[in-house]
Amino acid sequence: MTISREYARMTYTASFAAWACKVLDNRILAHLQKKRRENRKIDPYAEVDPEAREIGTGRDINPELKRRLAECLRQLCRRNPRYARALNLHYQGYSTDEICDRTRTRPATLYSTLHKARAMLRECLETGGQQS
């Protein structure tokens, strides 16, 4: 369907067949990424080895660390919602292109945003959640 909609508007640098194959490849990859993301939402350990499933069941998570992390994420969201959103989308498994589309940024800007957000989160966790 995509090929039939776009072929008249395209100018081909190689051949129509090469362009059509690339469109098909991109659509298949996008579909697979979407399925993988959906599976992670249902079962976060879908691609993890079965022994790791039992380790990450929540029994071994330090409740104090979990509380501090949640508080630091709240602070990050209050200080800069854009940073929190980029971190959240990345954590959920979205690709760089998908995050850039949703946040209307370029990849270089996204990488910078993620770097700054992680640094702020790390600083918050190290200082015990106290704002500097």
Side-chain angles (χ1 to χ4, degrees), residues 20-38:
C21 284
K22 190 62 178 170
V23 169
L24 180 61
D25 285 346
N26 288 339
R27 296 294 289 193
I28 290 170
L29 287 173
H31 175 73
L32 292 174
Q33 286 178 341
K34 180 181 175 185
K35 286 293 185 187
R36 195 174 305 128
R37 240 189 342 272
E38 288 172 357

Side-chain angles (χ1 to χ4, degrees), residues 7 17-18 20-21 23 35 47 52 61 73 81 89 126:
Y7 84 97
C21 284
V23 169
K35 286 293 185 187
E47 295 179 5
I61 296 175
L73 284 170
L89 291 171
E126 289 172 353

Side-chain angles (χ1 to χ4, degrees), residues 30-91:
H31 175 73
L32 292 174
Q33 286 178 341
K34 180 181 175 185
K35 286 293 185 187
R36 195 174 305 128
R37 240 189 342 272
E38 288 172 357
N39 287 342
R40 264 192 241 137
K41 289 177 184 173
I42 295 168
D43 184 2
Y45 301 105
E47 295 179 5
V48 179
D49 135 59
E51 293 177 13
R53 290 175 187 244
E54 297 188 15
I55 294 171
T57 57
R59 290 175 288 187
D60 62 334
I61 296 175
N62 180 344
E64 177 60 23
L65 176 61
K66 189 174 178 179
R67 185 195 61 73
R68 283 181 32 219
L69 180 60
E71 180 56 35
C72 287
L73 284 170
R74 278 189 215 93
Q75 285 182 19
L76 177 64
C77 191
R78 283 192 298 268
R79 288 173 67 185
N80 196 325
R82 186 171 52 110
Y83 287 5
R85 183 169 189 221
L87 265 180
N88 190 25
L89 291 171
H90 181 70
Y91 176 76

Side-chain angles (χ1 to χ4, degrees), residues 65 68-69 72 120-129:
L65 176 61
R68 283 181 32 219
L69 180 60
C72 287
M120 290 172 73
L121 192 59
R122 186 179 310 114
E123 178 186 347
C124 178
L125 286 170
E126 289 172 353
T127 60

Side-chain angles (χ1 to χ4, degrees), residues 73-120:
L73 284 170
R74 278 189 215 93
Q75 285 182 19
L76 177 64
C77 191
R78 283 192 298 268
R79 288 173 67 185
N80 196 325
R82 186 171 52 110
Y83 287 5
R85 183 169 189 221
L87 265 180
N88 190 25
L89 291 171
H90 181 70
Y91 176 76
Q92 290 177 2
Y94 286 91
S95 71
T96 299
D97 292 333
E98 292 170 321
I99 297 172
C100 287
D101 287 343
R102 286 173 175 253
T103 59
R104 295 183 179 94
T105 59
R106 294 178 303 170
T109 306
L110 174 64
Y111 295 136
S112 176
T113 299
L114 286 172
H115 175 75
K116 291 174 184 176
R118 289 176 183 136
M120 290 172 73

